Amino acid sequence: MKLVIAIVQDKDANRLRSEFNKADIGATRLSTTGGFLKSGNTTYMIGVDDKRVQEVLNLIQETSRTRQQFMTPPVNIDAHMENSSGYPVEVQVGGATVFVLPVEQFHQF
Ligand code: 2BA
């Protein structure tokens, strides 16, 4: 068994949830915040048999879009620090950031 952790953009999260539902794949949805943009994103935790991991990855890949996003870095007193200009910068976000972890034990009590 594997635990797939997938960080996706909020805009893709509902579509992905319905794809999981259609495929009868159990998933837990968490509201999360990206450390860089500090804006909301969505993290899914999906416990799945090894033989269905690729299917889950395919659904995530097909559902997640790449988008350009502007962010204004905070102005720091220390001008030597990175991201201290205060001018908006364009960053590419997504499609999805995915981790696949081995599961040692799985219990449902
Ligand atoms: P954020 O941390 O808000 O990052 C949003 C996007 O900003 C990233 O998109 C990336 O394109 C850019 N970015 C992040 N850190 C940067 C930096 N130091 N300098 C310049 N640009 C930077 P993605 O790579 O698609 O990541 C989307 C979200 O996935 C991230 O949101 C974060 O929540 C998560 N994530 C990405 N890499 C991760 C990792 N190694 N571990 C855990 N979570 C990760």
Side-chain angles (χ1 to χ4, degrees), residues 7 33-39 41 91-95 97 99:
I7 303 153
T33 305
F36 184 68
L37 293 181
K38 297 187 177 62
S39 63
N41 51 29
V91 290
Q92 180 178 295
V93 187
T97 300
F99 303 88

Side-chain angles (χ1 to χ4, degrees), residues 25 28-29 46 72 76 82 87 94 96:
I25 291 166
T28 294
R29 177 177 171 160
I46 309 122
T72 307
N76 289 311
E82 261 183 86
Y87 293 109

Side-chain angles (χ1 to χ4, degrees), residues 17-31:
R17 184 189 51 199
S18 54
E19 292 300 323
F20 287 148
N21 288 346
K22 266 193 263 171
D24 200 22
I25 291 166
T28 294
R29 177 177 171 160
L30 307 169
S31 293

Side-chain angles (χ1 to χ4, degrees), residues 1-73:
M1 187 178 208
K2 295 283 190 290
L3 177 66
V4 180
I5 299 176
I7 303 153
V8 302
Q9 293 175 64
D10 286 344
K11 287 172 183 159
D12 297 321
N14 285 342
R15 230 181 103 216
L16 186 55
R17 184 189 51 199
S18 54
E19 292 300 323
F20 287 148
N21 288 346
K22 266 193 263 171
D24 200 22
I25 291 166
T28 294
R29 177 177 171 160
L30 307 169
S31 293
T32 46
T33 305
F36 184 68
L37 293 181
K38 297 187 177 62
S39 63
N41 51 29
T42 298
T43 299
Y44 280 104
M45 294 194 305
I46 309 122
V48 69
D49 278 343
D50 286 21
K51 57 181 185 295
R52 294 197 79 187
V53 168
Q54 192 55 52
E55 181 187 352
V56 169
L57 294 177
N58 291 345
L59 289 176
I60 295 167
Q61 188 176 15
E62 287 158 14
T63 310
S64 305
R65 301 258 182 285
T66 300
R67 296 184 180 88
Q68 299 299 122
Q69 204 163 313
F70 282 92
M71 63 94 69
T72 307

